[in-house]
C-alpha cells in the first residue's frame, strides 16, 4: 500500500515558467513533509520541508503548500531553471508518533527546457 | 559540512555472495536508514535504526539484515546476494523525525 503517491512520473516546463509538482498521502498520522531533489548517480538532497501546523513554507524559488484536509502537498518552483532538471521526491514522517522513518513517493522527473 | 559517507560508489558481486554495505555519518545523529531506489518504485525503506544496537524493519526487509554497533556507523548486509537485489542503495541519517534526513552518495550494486 503506497502511503505517499506522486502520480505524475514526469513533467516538462519551459525555462522561466512555474513548475508544480504534486504529492498525495493517505496516512493521517503524517505530520512532517519534505521534498528532495535527486540527480542521477547521486544521493537525494534536501530542498524544503513543512510541518503539519503550517500550510505554506517558502525558501527562495521553492514554495511548498500543504492541504491537510485533502492530504495533498505541492512544490512550486518559480522561475524554473535548466539546472532544476532532476527527479523530485516527496517524503513524509509521523514524528509525533515517535516513529522517525521517512516514507517516500515514487518521484517525478522534471525537465526544464531552455 | 554535514557528511554521510557510503563505502563504495559501485559494486559488482556474484549471486550467493555475502555483501556488506557500510555507511558512516559525522553529525552525531540518532537515526539512520537504508533505502533502495528502483525505477518507477521510488525510495523504499529496507531497515532503520533509532539508536545503537536498535533496528526496525522497513517496508522491504526480506533478504537483508543490518548492524549498528556504533552510533556513527550503520551497515547493510545481504546474506546471500540475488540478482533481484541489483539496485541503488542509499543510506541516510537524521536527528529526529522533525528535521531533514541527509543522504550519502549512494552505492550502485550489481549482482551477476
Amino acid at each position: 500500500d503506497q502511503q505517499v503517491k506522486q502520480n505524475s512520473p514526469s513533467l516538462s516546463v519551459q525555462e522561466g515558467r512555474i513548475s508544480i509538482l504534486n504529492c498525495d498521502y493517505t496516512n493521517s498520522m503524517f505530520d512532517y513533509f519534505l521534498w528532495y531533489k535527486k540527480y542521477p548517480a547521486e544521493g537525494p538532497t534536501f530542498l524544503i520541508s513543512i510541518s503539519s501546523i503550517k500550510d505554506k513554507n517558502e525558501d527562495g524559488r521553492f514554495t511548498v503548500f500543504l492541504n491537510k484536509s485533502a492530504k495533498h502537498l505541492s512544490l512550486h518552483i518559480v522561475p524554473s531553471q535548466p539546472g532544476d532538471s532532476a527527479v523530485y521526491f516527496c517524503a513524509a514522517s509521523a514524528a509525533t508518533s515517535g516513529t522517525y522513518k521517512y516514507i517516500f513517493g515514487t518521484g517525478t522527473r522534471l525537465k526544464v527546457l531552455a | 559540512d554535514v557528511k554521510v559517507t557510503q563505502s563504495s560508489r559501485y559494486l559488482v558481486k556474484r549471486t550467493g555472495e555475502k555483501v556488506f554495505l557500510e555507511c558512516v555519518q559525522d553529525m552525531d545523529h540518532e537515526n539512520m536508514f537504508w533505502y533502495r531506489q528502483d525505477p518507477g518504485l521510488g525510495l523504499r525503506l529496507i531497515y532503520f535504526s533509532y539508536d545503537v544496537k536498535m533496528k526496525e524493519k522497513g517496508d522491504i526487509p526480506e533478504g537483508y539484515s543490518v548492524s549498528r554497533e556504533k552510533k556513527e556507523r550503520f551497515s547493510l548486509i545481504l546474506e546471500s546476494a540475488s540478482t533481484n537485489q541489483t539496485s541503488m542503495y542509499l543510506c541516510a541519517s537524521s536527528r529526529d523525525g522533525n528535521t531533514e534526513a541527509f543522504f550519502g552518495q549512494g552505492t550502485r550494486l550489481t549482482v551477476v
Side-chain angles (χ1 to χ4, degrees), chain B residues 23 25 29 32 49 51-53 67-74:
Chain B
C23 176
Q25 51 99 359
H29 283 167
M32 295 189 74
S49 168
D51 200 353
V52 176
K53 297 193 188 293
S67 172
R68 192 159 180 209
E69 296 295 320
K70 293 185 177 181
K71 191 175 186 180
E72 67 270 18
R73 188 177 296 271
F74 192 36

Side-chain angles (χ1 to χ4, degrees), chain A residues 2 4 6 89 104-107, chain B residues 36-45 60 84 87:
Chain A
Q2 192 88 32
V4 178
Q6 293 178 257
F89 292 98
F104 282 78
T106 51
Chain B
R36 62 179 278 181
Q37 183 197 3
D38 300 288
L41 297 177
L43 274 66
R44 293 182 293 165
L45 182 63
I60 51 163
N84 63 11
S87 187

Side-chain angles (χ1 to χ4, degrees), chain A residues 2-3 31-32 34 36 38 40-46 49 51 87 89 93-96 99-107, chain B residues 9-10 31 33 35 37 40-43 45 48 50 57-59 88 90 94-106:
Chain A
Q2 192 88 32
Q3 296 185 69
D31 52 14
Y32 185 66
L34 312 91
Y36 283 82
K38 188 179 183 300
E42 292 184 14
T45 53
F46 170 74
S49 63
S51 162
V87 178
F89 292 98
S93 74
T96 53
T99 304
Y100 299 136
K101 62 182 182 180
Y102 302 85
I103 303 299
F104 282 78
T106 51
Chain B
R9 289 297 299 269
Y10 301 95
N31 307 308
F33 310 85
Y35 290 88
Q37 183 197 3
L41 297 177
L43 274 66
L45 182 63
F48 67 105
Y50 52 90
K57 291 179 181 178
D59 298 319
M88 167 71 96
L90 295 159
S94 74
R95 193 185 72 222
D96 56 43
N98 278 326
T99 57
E100 68 268 33
F102 294 87
F103 280 84
Q105 76 277 30

Side-chain angles (χ1 to χ4, degrees), chain A residues 36-100:
Chain A
Y36 283 82
K37 174 180 178 179
K38 188 179 183 300
Y39 293 118
E42 292 184 14
T45 53
F46 170 74
L47 272 178
I48 192 168
S49 63
I50 188 166
S51 162
S52 60
I53 61 173
K54 295 185 173 182
D55 53 21
K56 178 182 173 181
N57 189 26
E58 199 169 346
D59 184 1
R61 296 186 299 115
F62 302 93
T63 303
V64 56
F65 295 92
L66 176 62
N67 182 333
K68 287 187 290 294
S69 60
K71 294 191 177 70
H72 177 83
L73 64 154
S74 61
L75 174 69
H76 292 209
I77 306 173
V78 183
S80 301
Q81 300 172 354
D84 295 329
S85 297
V87 178
Y88 289 78
F89 292 98
C90 67
S93 74
T96 53
S97 72
T99 304
Y100 299 136

Side-chain angles (χ1 to χ4, degrees), chain A residues 12-33:
Chain A
S12 290
V13 169
Q14 209 65 37
E15 182 181 5
R17 305 294 292 269
I18 184 170
S19 295
I20 300 176
L21 296 96
N22 294 304
C23 180
D24 297 295
Y25 61 96
T26 58
N27 189 340
S28 56
M29 296 295 291
F30 288 150
D31 52 14
Y32 185 66
F33 304 90

